[in-house]
Amino acid sequence: MKRKILIVEDDVSLNETVKEFLEFNGFETVSVCEGDSAVNIAYEENFDVILLDVKLPGMKGFDVAKEIRSFSDTPIIFITSLDGEKDVEKGFLSGGDDYIRKPFSLKELKLRIDAVLRRLYSNREKVDLGDGFEFDVKNNELLKDNKPVHLKTKVAKLLNLFIKHRGEVLSKDKIFAEIYNYEETPNEASLRTFVKTLRNILGNDKIQTIKDIGYKFVG
């Protein structure tokens, strides 16, 4: 299941650039240009992250954040040209989770989104994987319609790692370091088997093979 991001930016060119970049990187996006529209759509739909410009026509970004915080705890990343300490403080006090200053690189934006998502899902006991699947982070257990799905220990560890780094390319070395202990010898054939097991359960489209590098979990 793709992560869904609301883009609130009145600069049409920047709005479109961010939208195209995020969709290219596997996110689902909705974009608006006004604060009132942002509040309405955030109330009607569920998002994983909100990118929120501060200087908006009509309702300003800080007021939009306060309004959204009255009914939602969706992470908010402010996008702004304001760089004063008081502006940053105001942003966090109004409910923001992060703050990125214009001009910014799209790579930095994605890194900040990924970091917010990692914090969000590492604090949840269960993560929705779609199609009735959930992963119980606390117990390292996959569930299907609330019933346990048996996974070998390393397969469960691998799924946990994928979820924490959803949308990121994980090198084989990174995976080996996380799922094998220092007394064990990493095995590429075994890793391919673990990945195949997860694909058979969750669907082939959930895990992409990145040639000569590793894997990317997009489920």
Side-chain angles (χ1 to χ4, degrees):
M1 185 174 62
K2 291 184 177 181
R3 293 291 168 226
K4 190 174 180 181
I5 297 181
L6 175 61
I7 305 166
V8 190
E9 169 60 62
D10 67 323
D11 181 326
V12 177
S13 177
L14 178 59
N15 192 317
E16 188 62 28
T17 296
V18 171
K19 179 180 176 67
E20 290 179 359
F21 173 76
L22 292 178
E23 290 180 351
F24 177 79
N25 280 277
F27 294 99
E28 179 182 351
T29 68
V30 174
S31 63
V32 296
C33 296
E34 298 180 348
D36 291 336
S37 299
V39 172
N40 291 336
I41 199 165
Y43 184 79
E44 294 170 356
E45 299 184 31
N46 293 320
F47 294 93
D48 294 286
V49 176
I50 297 173
L51 303 179
L52 179 57
D53 187 22
V54 172
K55 293 183 177 180
L56 293 169
M59 184 184 292
K60 302 305 178 186
F62 293 145
D63 295 323
V64 172
K66 289 178 182 177
E67 188 69 23
I68 290 175
R69 277 291 166 264
S70 69
F71 60 80
S72 172
D73 61 357
T74 300
I76 295 173
I77 300 176
F78 282 112
I79 299 175
T80 181
S81 56
L82 301 175
D83 59 4
E85 186 175 317
K86 288 185 178 180
D87 295 313
V88 175
E89 180 182 14
K90 188 174 181 180
F92 283 113
L93 290 176
S94 65
D97 295 87
D98 202 354
Y99 209 98
I100 186 168
R101 294 180 176 86
K102 299 177 182 178
F104 56 86
S105 72
L106 294 173
K107 182 178 180 180
E108 180 187 359
L109 177 63
K110 184 176 182 299
L111 288 171
R112 289 179 180 272
I113 291 171
D114 290 341
V116 165
L117 289 172
R118 279 198 300 273
R119 290 198 298 269
L120 173 67
Y121 291 105
S122 65
N123 290 330
R124 288 187 180 179
E125 290 192 356
K126 292 182 181 179
V127 178
D128 182 10
L129 300 178
D131 299 323
F133 286 104
E134 291 181 307
F135 189 75
D136 186 330
V137 177
K138 185 177 180 181
N139 295 309
N140 214 38
E141 182 177 53
L142 180 65
L143 305 170
K144 169 69 171 177
D145 298 326
N146 291 318
K147 296 179 181 178
V149 177
H150 175 70
L151 295 178
K152 291 183 178 180
T153 301
K154 281 188 171 53
V155 176
K157 284 184 177 181
L158 178 60
L159 180 54
N160 199 336
L161 182 65
F162 277 146
I163 289 170
K164 287 179 180 177
H165 296 273
R166 208 169 196 158
E168 297 179 41
V169 176
L170 287 175
S171 69
K172 294 174 186 176
D173 287 342
K174 169 70 173 176
I175 294 172
F176 290 150
E178 293 289 335
I179 70 173
Y180 286 87
N181 63 44
Y182 70 94
E183 296 175 340
E184 298 174 317
T185 302
N187 185 304
E188 282 203 33
S190 294
L191 176 57
R192 288 194 294 270
T193 300
F194 301 157
V195 171
K196 183 178 180 181
T197 297
L198 291 177
R199 283 174 170 158
N200 288 340
I201 295 171
L202 300 174
N204 288 329
D205 60 336
K206 301 289 187 180
I207 305 171
Q208 297 176 355
T209 298
I210 310 302
K211 187 176 179 181
D212 299 326
I213 300 175
Y215 298 94
K216 180 179 179 181
F217 186 70
V218 294

